Amino acid sequence: MEELVERVDDQDRGLGVAVSRRQAVREGWLHRVAVTVCRDGRGRVLVHRRSEHLSRFPGRYEVLVGGAVNAGESYEQAAARELAEELGVRARPRLLFTFLNRSGLSPHWLGVHEAVAPDTVTADPEEVAWHAWLTEPQLRSALQEWNFTPDSHEAFNRYLAFRTTQP
């Protein structure tokens, strides 16, 4: 079944038009994507490698868990749904910020969340080929050496900058 997303404008305001995600990407229409940076109780960040058969960035590493915001969903609802689908994690992600992301396959609004997840996750093998918890120094090295998705670099840098501005 085709994912339906809502088209949005350059201010992230809904246009009231639902289209398939495939069409939104193909046409370069703005839509919403929700992602979550998962940390464990010790502050490590979950990193995973995408399955080889995925249509978008197969086999690449990611520091974000997420996907498209379905028409009628909020960023937070989509982030929670994606955590459950991809990692088997029931958590309440906290929306930190949104930004117009022009990296990746097509431009989209990216809602960046944070959630604390249990050390043990049950990754869906259809989505996740490998995963591990990395400290921030380990992750910084991995971002330089491994083949990450474009969204991972942009969003994680913004995430780190955001965290430094918070009390």
Side-chain angles (χ1 to χ4, degrees), residues 94-147:
R94 183 171 62 101
L95 180 62
L96 303 178
F97 58 90
T98 62
F99 71 96
L100 182 53
N101 185 14
R102 297 197 181 276
S103 64
L105 297 176
S106 71
H108 55 273
W109 278 93
L110 196 62
V112 179
H113 301 74
E114 182 177 57
V116 175
D119 287 354
T120 304
V121 299
T122 307
D124 177 357
E126 296 294 314
E127 301 266 351
V128 178
W130 169 91
H131 68 278
W133 294 98
L134 302 181
T135 64
E136 278 191 30
Q138 290 170 326
L139 179 51
R140 287 178 197 275
S141 293
L143 283 164
Q144 300 291 323
E145 298 168 18
W146 301 354
N147 191 14

Short mmCIF file of all heavy atoms in Angstrom, two decimals, residues 94-147:
data_model
loop_
_atom_site.label_atom_id
_atom_site.label_comp_id
_atom_site.label_asym_id
_atom_site.label_seq_id
_atom_site.Cartn_x
_atom_site.Cartn_y
_atom_site.Cartn_z
N ARG A 94 10.44 13.19 21.81
CA ARG A 94 10.23 14.63 22.06
C ARG A 94 10.73 15.40 20.85
O ARG A 94 11.89 15.30 20.48
CB ARG A 94 11.00 15.04 23.31
CG ARG A 94 10.80 16.49 23.71
CD ARG A 94 11.42 16.75 25.07
NE ARG A 94 12.86 16.54 25.07
CZ ARG A 94 13.76 17.51 25.00
NH1 ARG A 94 13.39 18.77 24.94
NH2 ARG A 94 15.05 17.24 25.01
N LEU A 95 9.81 16.17 20.23
CA LEU A 95 10.19 16.99 19.08
C LEU A 95 11.10 18.11 19.55
O LEU A 95 10.74 18.89 20.44
CB LEU A 95 8.95 17.57 18.39
CG LEU A 95 9.21 18.46 17.17
CD1 LEU A 95 9.90 17.70 16.05
CD2 LEU A 95 7.91 19.08 16.69
N LEU A 96 12.29 18.20 18.96
CA LEU A 96 13.25 19.23 19.33
C LEU A 96 13.18 20.43 18.38
O LEU A 96 13.17 21.57 18.82
CB LEU A 96 14.67 18.66 19.33
CG LEU A 96 14.91 17.45 20.23
CD1 LEU A 96 16.35 16.97 20.08
CD2 LEU A 96 14.58 17.77 21.68
N PHE A 97 13.16 20.15 17.08
CA PHE A 97 13.12 21.23 16.08
C PHE A 97 12.78 20.64 14.72
O PHE A 97 12.83 19.43 14.52
CB PHE A 97 14.47 21.97 16.03
CG PHE A 97 15.64 21.09 15.69
CD1 PHE A 97 16.03 20.89 14.37
CD2 PHE A 97 16.37 20.47 16.69
CE1 PHE A 97 17.11 20.07 14.06
CE2 PHE A 97 17.45 19.65 16.40
CZ PHE A 97 17.83 19.45 15.07
N THR A 98 12.41 21.53 13.81
CA THR A 98 12.18 21.16 12.41
C THR A 98 13.05 22.05 11.54
O THR A 98 13.42 23.15 11.94
CB THR A 98 10.70 21.32 12.00
OG1 THR A 98 10.34 22.70 12.13
CG2 THR A 98 9.78 20.46 12.84
N PHE A 99 13.38 21.56 10.35
CA PHE A 99 14.09 22.39 9.38
C PHE A 99 13.82 21.86 7.98
O PHE A 99 13.47 20.70 7.80
CB PHE A 99 15.59 22.46 9.69
CG PHE A 99 16.37 21.19 9.43
CD1 PHE A 99 17.05 21.00 8.23
CD2 PHE A 99 16.44 20.21 10.39
CE1 PHE A 99 17.78 19.85 8.01
CE2 PHE A 99 17.16 19.05 10.18
CZ PHE A 99 17.84 18.87 8.98
N LEU A 100 13.96 22.76 7.02
CA LEU A 100 13.79 22.39 5.62
C LEU A 100 15.08 21.73 5.16
O LEU A 100 16.11 22.38 5.05
CB LEU A 100 13.46 23.63 4.78
CG LEU A 100 13.22 23.39 3.29
CD1 LEU A 100 12.15 22.32 3.06
CD2 LEU A 100 12.81 24.69 2.62
N ASN A 101 15.00 20.44 4.92
CA ASN A 101 16.17 19.64 4.57
C ASN A 101 16.22 19.46 3.05
O ASN A 101 15.29 18.93 2.46
CB ASN A 101 16.08 18.28 5.26
CG ASN A 101 17.30 17.44 5.05
OD1 ASN A 101 18.33 17.93 4.61
ND2 ASN A 101 17.18 16.17 5.37
N ARG A 102 17.29 19.90 2.46
CA ARG A 102 17.44 19.77 1.01
C ARG A 102 18.42 18.68 0.61
O ARG A 102 18.72 18.51 -0.55
CB ARG A 102 17.84 21.11 0.41
CG ARG A 102 16.77 22.17 0.63
CD ARG A 102 16.94 23.36 -0.28
NE ARG A 102 15.92 24.35 -0.04
CZ ARG A 102 14.70 24.34 -0.57
NH1 ARG A 102 14.34 23.38 -1.36
NH2 ARG A 102 13.85 25.30 -0.31
N SER A 103 18.94 17.94 1.61
CA SER A 103 19.81 16.81 1.28
C SER A 103 18.94 15.57 1.07
O SER A 103 17.78 15.54 1.46
CB SER A 103 20.84 16.58 2.39
OG SER A 103 20.20 16.20 3.58
N GLY A 104 19.48 14.58 0.47
CA GLY A 104 18.71 13.37 0.26
C GLY A 104 18.10 13.32 -1.13
O GLY A 104 18.56 13.98 -2.07
N LEU A 105 17.02 12.56 -1.26
CA LEU A 105 16.40 12.35 -2.56
C LEU A 105 15.57 13.53 -3.04
O LEU A 105 15.47 13.78 -4.24
CB LEU A 105 15.50 11.11 -2.52
CG LEU A 105 16.21 9.79 -2.26
CD1 LEU A 105 15.20 8.67 -2.14
CD2 LEU A 105 17.22 9.50 -3.36
N SER A 106 14.94 14.23 -2.11
CA SER A 106 14.11 15.38 -2.47
C SER A 106 13.99 16.27 -1.23
O SER A 106 14.20 15.82 -0.12
CB SER A 106 12.72 14.92 -2.93
OG SER A 106 11.98 14.43 -1.84
N PRO A 107 13.63 17.53 -1.44
CA PRO A 107 13.48 18.42 -0.27
C PRO A 107 12.29 18.00 0.58
O PRO A 107 11.28 17.52 0.06
CB PRO A 107 13.27 19.80 -0.90
CG PRO A 107 12.74 19.53 -2.26
CD PRO A 107 13.32 18.21 -2.69
N HIS A 108 12.42 18.16 1.89
CA HIS A 108 11.34 17.83 2.81
C HIS A 108 11.59 18.54 4.14
O HIS A 108 12.70 18.92 4.45
CB HIS A 108 11.25 16.31 3.03
CG HIS A 108 12.53 15.70 3.50
ND1 HIS A 108 13.50 15.27 2.62
CD2 HIS A 108 13.02 15.46 4.74
CE1 HIS A 108 14.52 14.78 3.30
NE2 HIS A 108 14.26 14.90 4.59
N TRP A 109 10.51 18.70 4.89
CA TRP A 109 10.63 19.21 6.26
C TRP A 109 10.99 18.04 7.14
O TRP A 109 10.35 16.98 7.07
CB TRP A 109 9.33 19.87 6.71
CG TRP A 109 9.24 21.26 6.21
CD1 TRP A 109 8.65 21.69 5.06
CD2 TRP A 109 9.80 22.41 6.84
NE1 TRP A 109 8.81 23.04 4.92
CE2 TRP A 109 9.51 23.51 6.00
CE3 TRP A 109 10.52 22.62 8.01
CZ2 TRP A 109 9.91 24.81 6.32
CZ3 TRP A 109 10.92 23.91 8.33
CH2 TRP A 109 10.61 24.99 7.48
N LEU A 110 12.01 18.22 7.96
CA LEU A 110 12.49 17.15 8.84
C LEU A 110 12.23 17.55 10.28
O LEU A 110 12.72 18.58 10.74
CB LEU A 110 13.98 16.92 8.60
CG LEU A 110 14.58 15.62 9.13
CD1 LEU A 110 13.94 14.41 8.46
CD2 LEU A 110 16.08 15.59 8.89
N GLY A 111 11.43 16.75 10.98
CA GLY A 111 11.18 16.94 12.40
C GLY A 111 12.13 16.05 13.18
O GLY A 111 12.04 14.83 13.08
N VAL A 112 13.05 16.65 13.93
CA VAL A 112 14.06 15.90 14.66
C VAL A 112 13.62 15.76 16.12
O VAL A 112 13.36 16.75 16.79
CB VAL A 112 15.44 16.60 14.56
CG1 VAL A 112 16.49 15.82 15.35
CG2 VAL A 112 15.86 16.73 13.10
N HIS A 113 13.56 14.52 16.55
CA HIS A 113 13.14 14.15 17.90
C HIS A 113 14.29 13.51 18.66
O HIS A 113 15.28 13.10 18.07
CB HIS A 113 11.99 13.13 17.84
CG HIS A 113 10.79 13.60 17.11
ND1 HIS A 113 10.75 13.69 15.73
CD2 HIS A 113 9.58 13.98 17.56
CE1 HIS A 113 9.55 14.13 15.37
NE2 HIS A 113 8.83 14.31 16.45
N GLU A 114 14.07 13.35 19.94
CA GLU A 114 15.00 12.59 20.78
C GLU A 114 14.16 11.67 21.66
O GLU A 114 13.06 12.04 22.09
CB GLU A 114 15.81 13.54 21.66
CG GLU A 114 16.84 12.86 22.53
CD GLU A 114 17.66 13.86 23.32
OE1 GLU A 114 17.06 14.66 24.08
OE2 GLU A 114 18.89 13.85 23.19
N ALA A 115 14.67 10.46 21.90
CA ALA A 115 13.99 9.52 22.78
C ALA A 115 15.03 8.67 23.49
O ALA A 115 16.10 8.40 22.95
CB ALA A 115 13.04 8.62 21.99
N VAL A 116 14.69 8.26 24.71
CA VAL A 116 15.52 7.31 25.43
C VAL A 116 14.93 5.94 25.16
O VAL A 116 13.72 5.72 25.33
CB VAL A 116 15.54 7.61 26.95
CG1 VAL A 116 16.31 6.54 27.69
CG2 VAL A 116 16.14 8.99 27.19
N ALA A 117 15.79 5.03 24.70
CA ALA A 117 15.35 3.69 24.34
C ALA A 117 16.05 2.67 25.24
O ALA A 117 17.13 2.94 25.76
CB ALA A 117 15.67 3.42 22.87
N PRO A 118 15.47 1.50 25.38
CA PRO A 118 16.15 0.46 26.15
C PRO A 118 17.41 -0.01 25.43
O PRO A 118 17.51 0.12 24.20
CB PRO A 118 15.10 -0.67 26.23
CG PRO A 118 14.16 -0.42 25.11
CD PRO A 118 14.18 1.06 24.85
N ASP A 119 18.36 -0.54 26.20
CA ASP A 119 19.61 -1.03 25.60
C ASP A 119 19.36 -2.09 24.53
O ASP A 119 20.07 -2.17 23.54
CB ASP A 119 20.53 -1.63 26.67
CG ASP A 119 21.16 -0.59 27.56
OD1 ASP A 119 20.98 0.62 27.29
OD2 ASP A 119 21.83 -0.97 28.53
N THR A 120 18.35 -2.92 24.75
CA THR A 120 18.04 -4.00 23.82
C THR A 120 16.83 -3.59 22.98
O THR A 120 15.77 -3.31 23.53
CB THR A 120 17.72 -5.30 24.59
OG1 THR A 120 18.82 -5.60 25.43
CG2 THR A 120 17.49 -6.44 23.62
N VAL A 121 17.04 -3.55 21.69
CA VAL A 121 15.95 -3.24 20.77
C VAL A 121 15.75 -4.44 19.84
O VAL A 121 16.67 -5.23 19.64
CB VAL A 121 16.22 -1.95 19.95
CG1 VAL A 121 16.35 -0.76 20.85
CG2 VAL A 121 17.44 -2.11 19.07
N THR A 122 14.57 -4.56 19.29
CA THR A 122 14.25 -5.63 18.36
C THR A 122 14.10 -5.02 16.98
O THR A 122 13.00 -4.64 16.57
CB THR A 122 12.95 -6.35 18.78
OG1 THR A 122 13.08 -6.74 20.15
CG2 THR A 122 12.71 -7.57 17.92
N ALA A 123 15.22 -4.90 16.28
CA ALA A 123 15.22 -4.25 14.98
C ALA A 123 14.52 -5.12 13.94
O ALA A 123 14.71 -6.34 13.90
CB ALA A 123 16.65 -3.96 14.54
N ASP A 124 13.72 -4.49 13.09
CA ASP A 124 13.05 -5.17 11.99
C ASP A 124 14.08 -5.45 10.91
O ASP A 124 14.64 -4.52 10.32
CB ASP A 124 11.94 -4.27 11.45
CG ASP A 124 11.22 -4.85 10.24
OD1 ASP A 124 11.61 -5.93 9.76
OD2 ASP A 124 10.27 -4.19 9.77
N PRO A 125 14.37 -6.72 10.59
CA PRO A 125 15.39 -7.04 9.60
C PRO A 125 15.06 -6.54 8.19
O PRO A 125 15.95 -6.42 7.36
CB PRO A 125 15.50 -8.56 9.65
CG PRO A 125 14.22 -9.03 10.27
CD PRO A 125 13.74 -7.91 11.15
N GLU A 126 13.79 -6.24 7.93
CA GLU A 126 13.42 -5.67 6.63
C GLU A 126 13.93 -4.25 6.49
O GLU A 126 14.14 -3.75 5.39
CB GLU A 126 11.89 -5.68 6.46
CG GLU A 126 11.28 -7.06 6.41
CD GLU A 126 11.72 -7.83 5.17
OE1 GLU A 126 11.70 -7.26 4.07
OE2 GLU A 126 12.08 -9.01 5.32
N GLU A 127 14.15 -3.57 7.61
CA GLU A 127 14.58 -2.18 7.63
C GLU A 127 16.03 -2.01 8.08
O GLU A 127 16.75 -1.17 7.58
CB GLU A 127 13.69 -1.36 8.59
CG GLU A 127 12.23 -1.37 8.26
CD GLU A 127 11.80 -0.19 7.43
OE1 GLU A 127 12.61 0.74 7.24
OE2 GLU A 127 10.66 -0.21 6.96
N VAL A 128 16.43 -2.82 9.08
CA VAL A 128 17.72 -2.62 9.76
C VAL A 128 18.56 -3.88 9.62
O VAL A 128 18.18 -4.96 10.09
CB VAL A 128 17.49 -2.30 11.26
CG1 VAL A 128 18.80 -2.15 12.00
CG2 VAL A 128 16.63 -1.03 11.41
N ALA A 129 19.74 -3.74 9.01
CA ALA A 129 20.64 -4.88 8.83
C ALA A 129 21.57 -5.07 10.03
O ALA A 129 22.02 -6.18 10.30
CB ALA A 129 21.47 -4.69 7.56
N TRP A 130 21.88 -4.00 10.73
CA TRP A 130 22.83 -4.02 11.85
C TRP A 130 22.57 -2.79 12.70
O TRP A 130 22.14 -1.76 12.18
CB TRP A 130 24.26 -3.99 11.28
CG TRP A 130 25.33 -3.75 12.30
CD1 TRP A 130 26.02 -4.70 13.00
CD2 TRP A 130 25.85 -2.48 12.73
NE1 TRP A 130 26.92 -4.09 13.85
CE2 TRP A 130 26.84 -2.73 13.69
CE3 TRP A 130 25.56 -1.16 12.40
CZ2 TRP A 130 27.55 -1.71 14.33
CZ3 TRP A 130 26.26 -0.14 13.03
CH2 TRP A 130 27.24 -0.42 13.98
N HIS A 131 22.85 -2.89 14.00
CA HIS A 131 22.75 -1.71 14.86
C HIS A 131 23.68 -1.87 16.06
O HIS A 131 24.06 -2.98 16.43
CB HIS A 131 21.31 -1.47 15.33
CG HIS A 131 20.80 -2.52 16.27
ND1 HIS A 131 20.30 -3.72 15.84
CD2 HIS A 131 20.71 -2.54 17.62
CE1 HIS A 131 19.92 -4.44 16.88
NE2 HIS A 131 20.16 -3.75 17.98
N ALA A 132 24.07 -0.73 16.62
CA ALA A 132 24.92 -0.70 17.81
C ALA A 132 24.77 0.64 18.51
O ALA A 132 24.34 1.63 17.89
CB ALA A 132 26.39 -0.92 17.42
N TRP A 133 25.13 0.65 19.78
CA TRP A 133 25.13 1.89 20.56
C TRP A 133 26.55 2.45 20.55
O TRP A 133 27.49 1.75 20.90
CB TRP A 133 24.69 1.61 21.99
CG TRP A 133 23.28 1.17 22.10
CD1 TRP A 133 22.81 -0.11 22.20
CD2 TRP A 133 22.13 2.01 22.11
NE1 TRP A 133 21.45 -0.12 22.27
CE2 TRP A 133 20.99 1.17 22.22
CE3 TRP A 133 21.93 3.39 22.03
CZ2 TRP A 133 19.70 1.67 22.26
CZ3 TRP A 133 20.65 3.89 22.07
CH2 TRP A 133 19.55 3.04 22.18
N LEU A 134 26.70 3.71 20.15
CA LEU A 134 28.02 4.35 20.10
C LEU A 134 28.05 5.57 21.01
O LEU A 134 27.06 6.30 21.13
CB LEU A 134 28.34 4.81 18.67
CG LEU A 134 28.35 3.75 17.56
CD1 LEU A 134 28.71 4.40 16.23
CD2 LEU A 134 29.31 2.63 17.89
N THR A 135 29.21 5.80 21.60
CA THR A 135 29.41 7.04 22.35
C THR A 135 29.52 8.18 21.33
O THR A 135 29.77 7.93 20.14
CB THR A 135 30.69 6.98 23.19
OG1 THR A 135 31.80 6.87 22.30
CG2 THR A 135 30.66 5.82 24.19
N GLU A 136 29.37 9.41 21.78
CA GLU A 136 29.49 10.53 20.84
C GLU A 136 30.86 10.57 20.16
O GLU A 136 30.91 10.78 18.95
CB GLU A 136 29.14 11.86 21.51
CG GLU A 136 27.65 12.07 21.56
CD GLU A 136 27.26 13.47 21.97
OE1 GLU A 136 28.00 14.45 21.69
OE2 GLU A 136 26.18 13.61 22.57
N PRO A 137 31.97 10.35 20.87
CA PRO A 137 33.26 10.33 20.15
C PRO A 137 33.33 9.21 19.11
O PRO A 137 33.85 9.41 18.01
CB PRO A 137 34.30 10.11 21.27
CG PRO A 137 33.64 10.65 22.51
CD PRO A 137 32.18 10.34 22.33
N GLN A 138 32.81 8.03 19.44
CA GLN A 138 32.79 6.93 18.46
C GLN A 138 31.93 7.31 17.26
O GLN A 138 32.29 7.04 16.11
CB GLN A 138 32.23 5.65 19.10
CG GLN A 138 33.13 5.02 20.11
CD GLN A 138 32.43 3.91 20.87
OE1 GLN A 138 31.23 3.95 21.15
NE2 GLN A 138 33.21 2.89 21.24
N LEU A 139 30.81 7.96 17.52
CA LEU A 139 29.92 8.36 16.43
C LEU A 139 30.56 9.42 15.55
O LEU A 139 30.45 9.37 14.32
CB LEU A 139 28.58 8.85 16.99
CG LEU A 139 27.55 9.32 15.97
CD1 LEU A 139 27.31 8.30 14.87
CD2 LEU A 139 26.25 9.67 16.66
N ARG A 140 31.24 10.37 16.14
CA ARG A 140 31.92 11.40 15.35
C ARG A 140 32.93 10.76 14.41
O ARG A 140 33.05 11.14 13.24
CB ARG A 140 32.59 12.42 16.25
CG ARG A 140 31.62 13.36 16.94
CD ARG A 140 32.38 14.32 17.87
NE ARG A 140 31.53 14.96 18.82
CZ ARG A 140 30.84 16.07 18.58
NH1 ARG A 140 30.92 16.65 17.42
NH2 ARG A 140 30.09 16.60 19.53
N SER A 141 33.67 9.77 14.88
CA SER A 141 34.62 9.04 14.03
C SER A 141 33.90 8.28 12.93
O SER A 141 34.30 8.31 11.76
CB SER A 141 35.46 8.06 14.85
OG SER A 141 36.30 8.74 15.73
N ALA A 142 32.82 7.60 13.30
CA ALA A 142 32.06 6.83 12.31
C ALA A 142 31.50 7.74 11.22
O ALA A 142 31.51 7.36 10.04
CB ALA A 142 30.92 6.07 13.01
N LEU A 143 31.03 8.92 11.58
CA LEU A 143 30.48 9.86 10.58
C LEU A 143 31.55 10.25 9.56
O LEU A 143 31.22 10.58 8.41
CB LEU A 143 29.89 11.09 11.25
CG LEU A 143 28.52 10.89 11.90
CD1 LEU A 143 28.20 12.02 12.86
CD2 LEU A 143 27.43 10.74 10.84
N GLN A 144 32.81 10.23 9.94
CA GLN A 144 33.91 10.55 9.03
C GLN A 144 34.29 9.36 8.16
O GLN A 144 34.76 9.54 7.04
CB GLN A 144 35.14 11.00 9.83
CG GLN A 144 34.94 12.20 10.70
CD GLN A 144 34.74 13.46 9.89
OE1 GLN A 144 35.36 13.63 8.86
NE2 GLN A 144 33.86 14.34 10.34
N GLU A 145 34.11 8.15 8.67
CA GLU A 145 34.64 6.96 8.02
C GLU A 145 33.60 6.11 7.30
O GLU A 145 33.92 5.47 6.30
CB GLU A 145 35.36 6.09 9.06
CG GLU A 145 36.54 6.79 9.71
CD GLU A 145 37.06 6.03 10.92
OE1 GLU A 145 36.77 4.82 11.06
OE2 GLU A 145 37.76 6.66 11.74
N TRP A 146 32.39 6.04 7.80
CA TRP A 146 31.37 5.16 7.24
C TRP A 146 30.50 5.92 6.25
O TRP A 146 30.44 7.15 6.26
CB TRP A 146 30.50 4.59 8.34
CG TRP A 146 31.22 3.80 9.39
CD1 TRP A 146 32.54 3.44 9.40
CD2 TRP A 146 30.67 3.30 10.60
NE1 TRP A 146 32.83 2.74 10.53
CE2 TRP A 146 31.70 2.63 11.30
CE3 TRP A 146 29.41 3.34 11.17
CZ2 TRP A 146 31.49 2.00 12.52
CZ3 TRP A 146 29.20 2.72 12.39
CH2 TRP A 146 30.24 2.06 13.06
N ASN A 147 29.77 5.20 5.44
CA ASN A 147 28.91 5.79 4.42
C ASN A 147 27.50 6.00 4.99
O ASN A 147 26.66 5.11 4.94
CB ASN A 147 28.88 4.87 3.19
CG ASN A 147 28.22 5.53 2.01
OD1 ASN A 147 28.01 6.74 1.98
ND2 ASN A 147 27.91 4.73 1.01
#
